[in-house]
Amino acid sequence: ALLVAMRDRDTAALVSLDGGIGAKTGKGFLEKARGFDAARALAPILHLWEEEDSFMAPDLDLLHSLDRAQRWIVKVDGMRHVHFSSVGILVRTVPAVAARTSATDATAPAWDAVAEATGSFLDRFVRGSGSGQAAWAPPPSALLHPIFLGRR
């Protein structure tokens, strides 16, 4: 998605749901890809991430380097990597999924908070008044810990 946003100037916003752009597992991979140009990353970016799965250990260097874009990074409590997919909503109604994915009592409300933050972000930057202003913050939740990185 980041490479597409760098290529396509019409990209209104980018949402990363515990994606490699903020993890050690993806470190260096995108920067080596044809078409990578940090100066062309202009669309607002929302990166939501967790710290429970070691294979998705955070590394925010790439996000910090995209300083021409407005960037929000949001640490999410109560979720594992798999919960950022549709599996996250299943933990509420399918006990076997909850058990198999190590869900906690916080997972379902965290999934709700991530969905609400994502929807709010997309409403603001895709349907809203555009990316020229930084006036956005995720809806309040004790499970979300946002940082606005701004832009250059």
Side-chain angles (χ1 to χ4, degrees), residues 10-13 44 115-116 118-131 136:
D10 292 333
T11 301
E116 187 177 4
T118 300
S120 170
F121 183 81
L122 294 175
D123 280 346
R124 167 65 181 88
F125 292 105
V126 176
R127 286 201 270 181
S129 60
S131 61
W136 181 83

Side-chain angles (χ1 to χ4, degrees), residues 20-44:
I21 67 171
K24 285 183 183 175
T25 55
K27 187 159 180 102
F29 176 74
L30 285 172
E31 296 90 334
K32 294 175 189 171
R34 192 180 76 196
F36 180 89
D37 181 355
R40 292 182 55 94
L42 302 175

Side-chain angles (χ1 to χ4, degrees), residues 2-61:
L2 179 60
L3 293 174
V4 170
M6 289 175 173
R7 183 185 71 227
D8 184 356
R9 297 284 185 171
D10 292 333
T11 301
L14 186 149
V15 176
S16 166
L17 299 173
D18 204 31
I21 67 171
K24 285 183 183 175
T25 55
K27 187 159 180 102
F29 176 74
L30 285 172
E31 296 90 334
K32 294 175 189 171
R34 192 180 76 196
F36 180 89
D37 181 355
R40 292 182 55 94
L42 302 175
I45 299 170
L46 171 61
H47 174 68
L48 298 124
W49 55 284
E50 51 80 26
E51 290 186 323
E52 295 299 316
D53 291 313
S54 60
F55 68 89
M56 288 303 291
D59 185 309
L60 304 174
D61 288 348

